[in-house]
Amino acid sequence: MAQIRLPKLISDNMVLQRDQSIKIWGWASPKEKITLILNQKNFKTITSENGKWEIILPAQSAGTGFQMVLKGKNEIILKNIAFGDVWLCSGQSNMTITMERIKERFPEDISSANFPAIRYFFVPTLTDLNTSKDDFPQGEWKTATANNILSIGAISYFFAHDLYQKYQVPIGMINSSVGGTPIEAWISEEGFKKMDDYQKIISQNKDTSYVNSLNRRLASTPSNRPIIKDLGIVEHWESPDYQEKGWRNFNIPGYWEDQGLKDLNGVVWFRREFEVSKNWLGKSVKLYMGRIVDADEMYVNGKKIGNITYQYPPRRYEIPADLLKEGKNTFVIRVTNTIGKGGFITDKPYYMTANGDEIDLKGTWKYKVGEVFQPTNLSGTNGLVKQNQPTALYNAMIAPVLPMKVKGFLWYQGESNTAFPEKYDGFITTLITNWRNLWKDEKLPFFVVQLANYQDVNYTPMESNWARMREAQNKALTLPNTAVTTTIDLGEWNDIHPLNKKDIGKRLALSAQNIAYNEKSIVHSGPSLKSQVFENDKVILTFDNVGEGIVSKDGEELRWFSIADYDKKFVWAKAHIIGKDKIELWNETVKTPKYVRYAWQDNPEGLNFYNSANLPASPFRTDSENLDDAKSWKGKKCSVVLTYDDALNVHLDNVIPVLDSLNLKGTFYLTASSDAGTKRIIDWRKAASNGHELGNHTLYHPCDATREGMSWVKPEYDLSKYSLRKIQDEIKMCNTYLNAIDGKNKRTFAFTCGHKKVIEGEFIQSLASEFIAARAVRSQMHSFEEQNLLDMDCYSMEGTSGEKMIELVKEAQKSGKLLVFLFHGVGGEHGLNVSKEAHSQLVHYLKEHESEIYIDTMLNIAEHIERLKK
């Protein structure tokens, strides 16, 4: 600390943000006088007591070749400084992939790379669970020239290249990305201030003893895997002299689980001889073995020529010039796989080449198992993966960049969050707002790369987590100065790391030109849905961002549109362009279409819906709900719950088909001893699988026979004569019955006849741990704040008209309260009955006003109330 020390970002070849005052900072001994010289001007400061100093420089115009001198007890000279535009690139592995990975795809871009005004700084993988850091342990600025180009991030380079070519302004790219990481790891602690569950995790992770206990648990877990030596290594299966015994045929490419080796985790060896002619000798030969899951070692004529330890990199090896011989040559591959399918990815290059000649390596090889890994059970003992923890990457890899002024952000991440894409709705806007707050500029441009098409193509409409994630990424567009770059046409079905990073970079550059450089005439987005209109049996869609108009890229009918009625049973639609910004959809089987989806698949391969700027439309759906989990009634005016008591046949026959056709969910309180409760379990199981809640209405529906109008209650089911133990047992038995139907443990309860007392007094509190909520029977509505989850009120319907029920809903809409309906018979079977027509009128009103009414099951409503009240 006795000498001036600079952060790694302040170094030779750096780019500093032009046209803004900028900070130069560092460390020295306390009270040390620091002088900075730039453009023959001196700037001075004195180090503080804690050894830190900073100097604010006035705004500088764009340019290169500057020198900066810093003097204190020592002198530092920084050379080749540029003033230009600085962009922070972050995310996971697709953002880290370098030009080296794609050199075969874009050889001309590699050979022509000579742009010393484009500079690149890569941040090494670092984590910190406790506090934000102020520097990196290593790192340097590199120029985009021949000697550096292969190590520069591909998306960063292509983005910077297009901006530099257009504006002739130096571009600095700071790449702070880590493969396989979730978005939560990149958000600061301040960003989680309204998320109690994450605050708890962050606090736990700061407890060193807690973190160490997790890791000790992992270290102390005994392995069930016996030590088995790989027979291939023992017997030297890689040797050309090895005599094959017991080897079988295998077709490369392909997975071994698909070719006779079921559920094998272990080591498999592959072997084949190839004829090589004399003119291949003495030359360096390139060998391409596609991609291999997971790790491989490559041998040619007994010599190891390379290895890769994980599945994602392409297998590209060089065979030394003196290794091949004329005639037969032995190739051996040792493949190790520990989870999932092992083997060779299809639709990848498998060949070797020299001087333009090629030998195809696909086809029949021989294989033999060298080692089988025995199953292990390490559940819950994985320790703490720091790079996946909230704030861990922000603290170590983003915080040190904060003193740097930046032009904006590029973000390519999401693959690691696809298991729970709905959570990403809030995460992406949290990240953007968090970073803008940290840089103290709410207008900083933020550009998101949407997930590309990936995995198998499915030719029927279906649900898709990847599609849902793309929808969540589009939530970025709810904030100003944002763009989402659609890459739905740039992916590869068999590779989570598609090679076409050039078009991603170019599309990001278009967004920068439009937003960051204010060239509003530049089209930077594909068509985006503006509105939909229903005309008889057709849907007319109108789009923004069409440029000169919507086009079919291949001239064929637009693909990957589907439509559905309220039942959400989607079918493919015929799609015709009927105007510059309009498309017409229909399918003869859907008479009254209500919803549209476009490209709602993991991999809608071959889509052709573009605008005149050759940019594809982003996937979308019109059947999603805009719910805000942080607000009462999830951001809507009020909430309505439809409940049905006593497990009646009419519930299964009259109610559920109507609810399913409108995609509404109800809560059905089952009495296990009822006729439909005992004889139609399969139907109740189907209802539960469709999202309806099965609630507890006890085993035999006991009611208080002493109450007025209760003479019908059988003596053996007189609740007033029940002991506390008896009602507890019957309720728990009903829970067991319900669990056997739907497999769930969380449940709500409905008081039979609304009665709450047994001999000893009220019983529900003794069962509070069994239920999230309990429904009573009083005709009252309550606000969110007034809700008592173990005593929720409802309106019991008896001969009520549809109009009267709708009036109750309108009252809830006006007052902002929760309205719970209680139905018994719907179209008969019970003394308390409403007509099918009245019930239908109500639920259709609810569906038509779904945008302002939160309609859900009692369980989901109760859990939402419980979460927010915490």
Side-chain angles (χ1 to χ4, degrees):
M1 298 295 291
Q3 304 277 328
I4 294 176
R5 181 171 65 86
L6 296 173
K8 297 297 184 292
L9 283 168
I10 305 299
S11 55
D12 292 345
N13 303 314
M14 68 179 171
V15 181
L16 298 173
Q17 183 58 44
R18 62 174 172 142
D19 301 334
Q20 295 185 40
S21 60
I22 53 177
K23 181 190 294 185
I24 305 297
W25 73 101
W27 303 267
S29 56
K31 300 299 181 180
E32 184 173 349
K33 295 180 180 180
I34 308 295
T35 300
L36 185 154
I37 304 169
L38 177 69
N39 290 337
Q40 300 180 347
K41 293 181 180 179
N42 290 357
F43 304 87
K44 298 177 183 287
T45 191
I46 298 176
T47 305
S48 65
E49 292 288 352
N50 63 6
K52 295 181 180 179
W53 60 265
E54 64 180 49
I55 292 174
I56 305 299
L57 300 179
Q60 305 289 317
S61 299
T64 59
F66 294 91
Q67 181 171 288
M68 184 182 293
V69 179
L70 290 137
K71 294 183 178 180
K73 293 178 181 178
N74 61 322
E75 180 175 294
I76 298 175
I77 300 175
L78 302 178
K79 300 176 182 178
N80 196 28
I81 298 169
F83 292 94
D85 291 332
V86 181
W87 293 86
L88 176 59
C89 311
S90 189
Q92 54 185 109
S93 53
N94 270 301
M95 187 63 88
T96 68
I97 284 175
T98 63
M99 296 293 283
E100 195 280 334
R101 177 75 73 87
I102 62 171
K103 62 186 179 183
E104 287 87 11
R105 178 73 177 265
F106 301 107
E108 293 182 4
D109 293 284
I110 302 292
S111 62
S112 64
N114 185 27
F115 298 96
I118 297 176
R119 317 284 175 83
Y120 181 76
F121 187 102
F122 183 73
V123 179
T125 298
L126 304 161
T127 61
D128 197 291
L129 297 175
N130 296 287
T131 186
S132 56
K133 296 294 188 180
D134 55 14
D135 195 12
F136 305 120
Q138 61 190 52
E140 61 179 325
W141 287 93
K142 294 183 177 181
T143 57
T145 49
N147 56 325
N148 294 323
I149 189 62
L150 292 180
S151 64
I152 292 177
I155 290 175
S156 303
Y157 173 73
F158 287 121
F159 172 80
H161 173 271
D162 274 23
L163 294 185
Y164 178 73
Q165 290 286 66
K166 180 159 188 176
Y167 300 111
Q168 294 297 301
V169 170
I171 304 293
M173 309 299 293
I174 302 171
N175 193 333
S176 187
S177 310
V178 180
T181 55
I183 189 172
E184 301 95 306
W186 297 99
I187 299 171
S188 80
E189 184 172 351
E190 177 70 13
F192 290 109
K193 62 183 179 181
K194 294 183 180 179
M195 303 182 192
D196 291 344
D197 46 350
Y198 282 92
Q199 288 283 8
K200 181 179 179 181
I201 295 171
I202 292 167
S203 178
Q204 281 183 329
N205 289 344
K206 289 181 179 180
D207 183 347
T208 305
S209 61
Y210 166 76
V211 174
N212 289 342
S213 71
L214 294 178
N215 294 329
R216 280 196 301 271
R217 197 182 313 161
L218 175 64
S220 63
T221 301
S223 173
N224 294 327
R225 181 184 298 170
I227 298 175
I228 302 177
K229 292 184 177 180
D230 181 355
L231 291 178
I233 292 177
V234 174
E235 298 178 1
H236 291 287
W237 292 353
E238 80 282 4
S239 170
D241 299 326
Y242 167 75
Q243 299 297 311
E244 295 178 5
K245 298 176 183 178
W247 290 63
R248 299 181 178 182
N249 290 338
F250 187 93
N251 192 53
I252 291 180
Y255 293 110
W256 62 59
E257 275 83 354
D258 298 332
Q259 299 191 43
L261 292 173
K262 183 179 180 181
D263 299 330
L264 171 69
N265 294 323
V267 180
V268 182
W269 293 68
F270 300 86
R271 183 180 174 92
R272 185 175 172 183
E273 290 183 340
F274 290 92
E275 290 279 346
V276 172
S277 62
K278 187 175 182 179
N279 62 354
W280 280 60
L281 304 185
K283 299 171 183 175
S284 180
V285 176
K286 292 184 177 180
L287 173 65
Y288 299 90
M289 282 305 296
R291 272 185 50 223
I292 300 176
V293 183
D294 280 312
D296 72 287
E297 297 174 18
M298 183 69 60
Y299 298 86
V300 175
N301 291 333
K303 302 292 185 181
K304 182 176 176 179
I305 64 169
N307 74 286
I308 292 177
T309 59
Y310 64 112
Q311 65 169 298
Y312 293 117
R315 270 44 176 189
R316 302 174 302 190
Y317 297 114
E318 295 232 353
I319 303 176
D322 61 349
L323 190 52
L324 291 178
K325 59 185 180 180
E326 184 178 1
K328 291 183 178 180
N329 292 260
T330 303
F331 287 66
V332 176
I333 311 168
R334 179 180 183 263
V335 180
T336 303
N337 186 58
T338 56
I339 188 170
K341 287 186 173 184
F344 302 80
I345 302 294
T346 58
D347 283 354
K348 294 292 180 182
Y350 293 86
Y351 67 94
M352 58 181 174
T353 180
N355 288 350
D357 292 333
E358 290 185 5
I359 294 178
D360 189 356
L361 302 180
K362 297 191 298 293
T364 302
W365 290 55
K366 297 284 187 178
Y367 82 88
K368 190 171 183 178
V369 177
E371 181 178 358
V372 177
F373 298 156
Q374 299 303 310
T376 58
N377 181 16
L378 299 179
S379 177
T381 59
N382 293 326
L384 193 75
V385 181
K386 292 183 179 180
Q387 68 181 33
N388 293 342
Q389 297 302 304
T391 77
L393 296 177
Y394 164 79
N395 285 339
M397 297 181 65
I398 299 297
V401 188
L402 283 178
M404 293 278 286
K405 291 286 182 66
V406 296
K407 184 75 170 178
F409 307 103
L410 308 185
W411 176 254
Y412 193 164
Q413 188 278 336
E415 297 92 339
S416 290
N417 287 88
T418 52
F420 302 101
E422 60 282 347
K423 293 183 179 180
Y424 208 87
D425 292 346
F427 283 145
I428 187 63
T429 52
T430 296
L431 176 77
I432 296 169
T433 302
N434 180 224
W435 284 14
R436 286 174 169 176
N437 289 341
L438 290 164
W439 264 271
K440 298 180 172 58
D441 187 347
E442 63 183 15
K443 296 181 180 179
L444 278 175
F446 199 106
F447 306 141
V448 176
V449 180
Q450 195 180 69
L451 294 188
N453 51 311
Y454 175 55
Q455 302 183 103
D456 294 336
V457 180
N458 195 303
Y459 288 96
T460 56
M462 62 178 297
E463 296 301 326
S464 161
N465 274 16
W466 278 65
R468 180 64 181 85
M469 175 57 74
R470 297 180 190 114
E471 180 181 70
Q473 290 175 312
N474 278 338
K475 297 293 183 182
L477 298 174
T478 62
L479 300 175
N481 284 358
T482 57
V484 176
T485 294
T486 300
T487 65
I488 195 70
D489 57 337
L490 303 180
E492 300 174 24
W493 76 269
N494 58 1
D495 202 331
I496 202 169
H497 302 124
L499 294 179
N500 189 357
K501 297 295 187 280
K502 183 173 184 177
D503 281 334
I504 296 176
K506 294 176 78 67
R507 290 177 185 178
L508 284 166
L510 290 176
S511 295
Q513 291 170 49
N514 181 286
I515 295 172
Y517 297 92
N518 205 34
E519 291 198 53
K520 298 304 180 185
S521 62
I522 290 178
V523 179
H524 70 287
S525 167
S528 56
L529 182 65
K530 180 180 181 181
S531 64
Q532 63 176 353
V533 176
F534 303 103
E535 295 183 357
N536 299 320
D537 60 348
K538 294 184 178 180
V539 187
I540 309 299
L541 303 179
T542 303
F543 293 86
D544 284 326
N545 302 314
V546 299
E548 297 301 315
I550 294 169
V551 299
S552 168
K553 188 172 184 178
D554 56 11
E556 298 182 3
E557 185 176 290
L558 298 181
R559 295 185 283 271
W560 296 106
F561 281 94
S562 60
I563 59 175
D565 203 333
Y566 280 137
D567 61 4
K568 289 193 177 182
K569 294 179 180 178
F570 283 89
V571 297
W572 297 124
K574 296 179 181 178
H576 286 176
I577 300 170
I578 58 173
K580 174 182 176 181
D581 61 350
K582 288 182 172 56
I583 290 174
E584 179 182 65
L585 306 175
W586 77 96
N587 183 299
E588 293 81 358
T589 65
V590 182
K591 300 303 181 184
T592 55
K594 299 296 181 184
Y595 299 124
V596 176
R597 290 182 174 184
Y598 170 67
W600 198 261
Q601 301 276 328
D602 293 344
N603 182 10
E605 191 174 76
L607 51 77
N608 57 354
F609 177 24
Y610 286 71
N611 61 18
S612 61
N614 198 34
L615 296 173
S618 175
F620 66 85
R621 60 174 175 165
T622 65
D623 58 296
S624 62
E625 285 195 273
N626 295 317
L627 300 177
D628 187 344
D629 286 332
K631 295 181 180 179
S632 58
W633 316 139
K634 299 202 173 184
K636 299 189 178 184
K637 287 184 178 180
C638 67
S639 184
V640 172
V641 181
L642 302 169
T643 69
Y644 304 83
D645 282 12
D646 296 354
L648 304 178
N649 289 288
V650 292
H651 298 159
L652 294 166
D653 299 332
N654 297 344
V655 174
I656 288 176
V658 175
L659 296 183
D660 286 347
S661 72
L662 298 176
N663 198 39
L664 296 176
K665 307 304 176 191
T667 296
F668 296 84
Y669 286 110
L670 272 60
T671 299
S673 59
S674 73
D675 183 60
T678 58
K679 296 179 180 178
R680 302 187 64 177
I681 288 176
I682 292 175
D683 294 326
W684 290 117
R685 183 170 290 133
K686 181 179 178 182
S689 68
N690 285 342
H692 300 291
E693 178 193 356
L694 304 186
N696 189 314
H697 211 34
T698 82
L699 206 58
Y700 299 110
H701 199 292
C703 292
D704 187 344
T706 65
R707 300 287 188 94
E708 184 178 350
M710 292 289 125
S711 59
W712 55 269
V713 177
K714 295 180 180 180
E716 62 267 32
Y717 302 136
D718 181 356
L719 188 63
S720 68
K721 302 294 192 296
Y722 268 45
S723 67
L724 184 61
R725 176 64 180 272
K726 183 175 181 180
I727 190 65
Q728 289 174 340
D729 286 347
E730 289 190 6
I731 288 173
K732 289 180 179 179
M733 289 168 71
C734 189
N735 270 350
T736 302
Y737 155 78
L738 293 170
N739 178 265
I741 297 173
D742 63 14
K744 297 177 181 178
N745 295 313
K746 291 184 178 180
R747 200 77 61 189
T748 65
F749 177 77
F751 293 103
T752 46
C753 301
H755 301 162
K756 305 174 182 178
K757 293 182 179 180
V758 292
I759 294 173
E760 292 96 330
E762 292 199 3
F763 61 82
I764 191 63
Q765 288 297 335
S766 69
L767 292 161
S769 61
E770 297 277 333
F771 299 106
I772 302 294
R775 194 211 64 200
V777 181
R778 283 187 305 265
S779 298
Q780 295 180 17
M781 298 185 211
H782 299 286
S783 67
F784 189 91
E785 294 74 15
E786 296 168 343
Q787 295 299 323
N788 177 358
L789 290 184
L790 290 178
D791 197 12
M792 300 178 75
D793 293 322
C794 69
Y795 286 74
S796 181
M797 299 294 103
E798 180 184 1
T800 316
S801 68
E803 290 81 4
K804 288 289 186 182
M805 290 188 283
I806 290 171
E807 284 179 14
L808 285 172
V809 178
K810 289 179 178 178
E811 183 182 335
Q813 289 173 272
K814 185 179 296 185
S815 64
K817 295 181 177 180
L818 170 65
L819 169 60
V820 181
F821 282 102
L822 163 56
F823 297 97
H824 292 86
V826 177
E829 200 182 353
H830 198 284
L832 303 176
N833 181 64
V834 298
S835 68
K836 289 195 296 183
E837 293 74 19
H839 179 267
S840 178
Q841 191 175 349
L842 167 66
V843 294
H844 276 86
Y845 177 87
L846 291 174
K847 189 65 183 182
E848 290 162 7
H849 294 80
E850 195 174 25
S851 61
E852 58 185 49
I853 304 171
Y854 173 38
I855 309 157
D856 211 334
T857 64
M858 184 68 86
L859 178 64
N860 290 342
I861 293 283
E863 286 192 316
H864 175 60
I865 293 171
E866 185 180 51
R867 276 194 300 268
L868 286 194
K869 284 196 170 185
K870 284 182 179 179

